[in-house]
Amino acid sequence: MGKIADRYFEVDPWMIEERGLDSAYSEVAESIFSLGNEYAGVRGYHEEGTVDASLLGSYFNGIYENGRHLNRVQYKGIVQRIHFMVNTVDWLYTRILLNNETVTIGKSSITNFKRKLDLRSGILTKEYIVTLSDGKQVKLNFTRFLHMDRVENMFQEITVTPLQEPVTLELTLGADFKTKHFGEDYRYWQILDKRDLKNGGAILGETNTTKQTLLSAFKLDYSQSPDQLISLSDDYFIGKKLTIVLDPQQEFKVRRHAVNIAHKSGNGSADWEKGLDMAEKNFQLTWEEAEASQRAYWERIWENEDIEIRGDEAQQQGIRFCIFQLNQTYHGQDPRNNIGAKGLTGEAYSGHAFWDTETCCLPYYLFSNLDAAKNLLEFRYHTLDQARNRAKELDCRGACYPIATLNGNESSDLWQHASLQFQPSSGVAFAIWHYSKFADDHDFLYRHGLEMLLEISRFMVSRGDWDQNGEYFGLWSVMGPDEFQMMVNHNTYTNLMAKFSIEYALTLLAEVQQNSPADYEAVISKTGVTTEELAQWSRCAENMKIIQTEEGIFEQHEGFFQLPHVDIHKIPITDFPLYHHWSYDRIYRNDMIKQPDVLMFLFLLNQQFSADVKRINYDFYEPKTIHESSLSPAIHSILAAELGKGKEAFSFFEFATRMDLDNYNRNTREGLHTTSIAGAWMNIVYGFGGVRSDGNRLVMAPTIPQNWDSYSFHLHYKGAHLFTTVRQDSYCIDLKDEEELSVLLHGKNIRLKGGRNSFDW
């Protein structure tokens, strides 16, 4: 695949460590050392300032702005104005002067530099020695963390220690709204109010067009009183400057407790005084209390979700980094949040959520945090009206979920994606169905879930059509998961998933009619679905065009088999990424595949297809796939493992957990590949673990890579906690509850009993 590791960070099973400074990796390190708690995220930028390349990013989930310019293309259905996750306040703002010399990364003389992210606690530390122009040396230590439970609370600690000679320290700490979004020289914020507080300050910003507000307050605690303390303020800044003379080996410590309160309603009506009262209440949480609860939070995560790999320390570090980032990005804190493609670690993809959430991220939460999984679905329900409006913009009925969004509105101004890709809509239907395999949540399924399903089905039918002879139904002029093919007819993924969505909607509607007449009447009244309409949907689904050869190969779309062939292995490595080196239309003129398309639905609806069908399609499509999507290798690895292609599965997997740590795509600086991080988890659990969750019971078929001694993983399924350990000669499944659970294990019906269940190969 032409991907080569660029290893920079130390390999350690529980730590991400940077030793020494290399300006070439400054932005990569900022992404890797990002911290988050779903509510907010902050890149690992140097708070004291740097001359190296840097994206000083501080983000809050759901805080966004609208694009400053309208799309010049005014055709109906094409997005006129995008929205994006906007950079916010630098609540870590720090400036350090030692004997009137400014400490700046990349400019000051710095030695003994170390930076560590402890995955067991979510605490980031940094230390180094700075040598002044007169030869005096000072040791600096930094600590920061974002509280995972009380999410408005964020903490920073700075320790300054002169080593041989006295030093005068001048330290400025504050909250700064002069951050630049993507480096633009434009202010997306206006300041509504500021206030000097005892040992701190507060500032209230409001976005220009969305009228969302963010109150950033901070309080400082010192190990000893400074000689001088003054207040600072300008148009976008509030802060404190302290001065103190320190003796050799005299350790001076300052702790900042920042409280950031975001109001996302967009009505511009944040209550300043109420916000200050909330901040004061949060300030009562001490550093010691916050750190203790932070460590306890992560201890619970690792106790219930850890994946342990013995015999491969690099992959061990990689998968723990993935689990860590998944929890930082999302853990169900707020049903108004979704999972952006870069999480809260960078501004690429504008913070938008894509259909990856339902197809690739949701499984992790289904098996670890069912409430969080439900909240992801609730986000789609809360934005159902926007999906209805989008369908109208496309001259259709029902609900069309956007390809890229923060607030439920379509934000992709690339019409070939926004107007032709319907994976988000069928993905929502699939996710509701998938969730139903884990939870008997009739309240959600019978009300919110069913309403979404009916509107999605209505859209699919109105977007599709019958052929001229009335023999079959399908969707013309679409783009499937393979984004190297556009305006194609009868993409099999699109047609098959539309058929699936409609049939599940009809099945669930019949179930609700029988089991809960009141809910049935309510949803019929709310959606206006008629008996005639339901009959029409049934006919469309029954006659959906699905193209498959007698041998079992699904044609990716009508005419795909006749496309000119490209030998992808003959493409020079210098041509990658293709979007940067090939003209845009060139990639559409052959049978080269960007990412799994047919193989994607063979993964999602895995239990509906035979091993022979999976094998013949894998063998046909894998050699044509270029893996320009970071999610692509994981899906191929999972299917390869299922088909007994062990070496191939591990080859695809090899860089999955370390895609960002080792900068395989050379774009980690833009932010982490959050949905690919979820794919790495699936790669182990669904791939080597052989887990399948798309049936009415749990399927498991563990295998183990040849170079691993063992690996283990946790699953939480229908109230049961399964802990599976796989070794080279055997495997065992610990059912941590005293109950029994029926599973399909390597094709055999097995009833697991409470305690340890051991099996030989």
Side-chain angles (χ1 to χ4, degrees), residues 124-391:
L124 178 65
T125 58
K126 179 176 69 176
E127 65 178 57
Y128 57 83
I129 294 173
V130 59
T131 302
L132 305 180
S133 57
D134 59 5
K136 294 179 180 179
Q137 292 188 318
V138 181
K139 185 176 181 180
L140 297 173
N141 296 75
F142 302 81
T143 300
R144 68 172 77 161
F145 66 94
L146 277 62
H147 204 279
M148 295 298 291
D149 286 321
R150 296 179 60 175
V151 291
E152 297 90 352
N153 295 272
M154 303 161 198
F155 297 87
Q156 177 199 38
E157 179 183 84
I158 303 171
T159 304
V160 183
T161 311
L163 297 184
Q164 299 95 9
E165 303 285 342
V167 167
T168 299
L169 166 67
E170 185 178 287
L171 183 63
T172 302
L173 302 167
D176 184 22
F177 267 101
K178 291 191 288 292
T179 52
K180 294 183 177 181
H181 178 76
F182 255 139
E184 292 182 60
D185 190 19
Y186 178 81
R187 299 277 181 262
Y188 284 98
W189 292 87
Q190 54 182 314
I191 303 304
L192 301 183
D193 215 331
K194 297 192 295 288
R195 182 170 299 179
D196 182 45
L197 304 177
K198 182 181 180 181
N199 291 326
I203 186 169
L204 178 65
E206 180 186 72
T207 51
N208 290 340
T209 66
T210 59
K211 301 302 179 185
Q212 296 172 307
T213 60
L214 177 62
L215 187 152
S216 185
F218 68 94
K219 177 184 177 183
L220 305 177
D221 289 312
Y222 319 102
S223 58
Q224 60 209 76
S225 298
D227 300 330
Q228 184 182 39
L229 181 67
I230 63 173
S231 300
L232 301 174
S233 176
D234 65 24
D235 290 345
Y236 290 88
F237 176 83
I238 189 78
K240 295 284 189 182
K241 182 170 71 173
L242 64 89
T243 305
I244 188 170
V245 178
L246 300 176
D247 293 327
Q249 298 300 319
Q250 180 185 356
E251 186 180 272
F252 177 76
K253 183 178 294 183
V254 59
R255 286 175 171 173
R256 180 206 309 248
H257 183 175
V259 176
N260 291 297
I261 302 170
H263 287 272
K264 307 175 187 179
S265 60
N267 55 20
S269 60
D271 189 319
W272 170 242
E273 296 298 335
K274 184 178 179 180
L276 291 176
D277 288 342
M278 289 176 62
E280 286 295 338
K281 290 178 181 178
N282 277 285
F283 286 147
Q284 295 173 18
L285 176 66
T286 68
W287 176 285
E288 290 76 16
E289 291 170 339
E291 183 178 353
S293 58
Q294 181 83 350
R295 292 183 183 277
Y297 179 95
W298 284 107
E299 184 177 349
R300 292 192 301 272
I301 294 297
W302 296 119
E303 183 180 351
N304 288 284
E305 300 177 30
D306 188 24
I307 291 178
E308 184 178 28
I309 299 172
R310 293 187 179 273
D312 192 337
E313 200 170 56
Q315 293 298 339
Q316 176 65 90
Q317 181 189 42
I319 192 59
R320 281 183 175 144
F321 179 73
C322 292
I323 294 171
F324 177 80
Q325 291 296 347
L326 283 169
N327 278 277
Q328 284 205 133
T329 301
Y330 190 86
H331 52 270
Q333 181 259 331
D334 188 338
R336 296 173 298 173
N337 296 336
N338 206 305
I339 299 173
K342 296 293 183 184
L344 298 167
T345 69
E347 292 160 33
Y349 293 109
S350 300
H352 293 148
F354 295 82
W355 65 290
D356 313 25
T357 294
E358 285 74 29
T359 54
C360 295
C361 295
L362 186 68
Y364 170 76
Y365 298 99
L366 287 173
F367 276 118
S368 64
N369 185 343
L370 202 54
D371 289 338
K374 179 179 179 178
N375 275 357
L376 284 172
L377 300 177
E378 291 286 12
F379 171 85
R380 295 300 190 180
Y381 182 74
H382 293 321
T383 58
L384 179 57
D385 283 342
Q386 291 96 313
R388 288 183 173 113
N389 290 335
R390 180 60 185 162

Side-chain angles (χ1 to χ4, degrees), residues 588-652:
Y588 295 113
R589 304 199 301 256
N590 52 68
D591 67 348
M592 178 176 60
I593 299 170
K594 177 184 178 182
Q595 63 196 79
D597 197 300
V598 167
L599 299 188
M600 192 67 193
F601 69 72
L602 292 179
F603 164 69
L604 294 178
L605 302 175
N606 188 270
Q607 300 301 290
Q608 297 186 17
F609 303 96
S610 70
D612 288 341
V613 166
K614 295 171 198 172
R615 184 179 302 279
I616 195 171
N617 281 278
Y618 181 93
D619 291 344
F620 180 80
Y621 284 109
E622 187 281 323
K624 298 176 174 62
T625 306
I626 204 72
H627 306 291
E628 281 285 270
S629 163
S630 57
L631 277 169
S632 181
I635 303 302
H636 283 79
S637 180
I638 292 168
L639 290 174
E642 179 183 0
L643 297 171
K645 301 173 183 283
K647 290 184 178 179
E648 197 167 326
F650 194 80
S651 177
F652 279 121

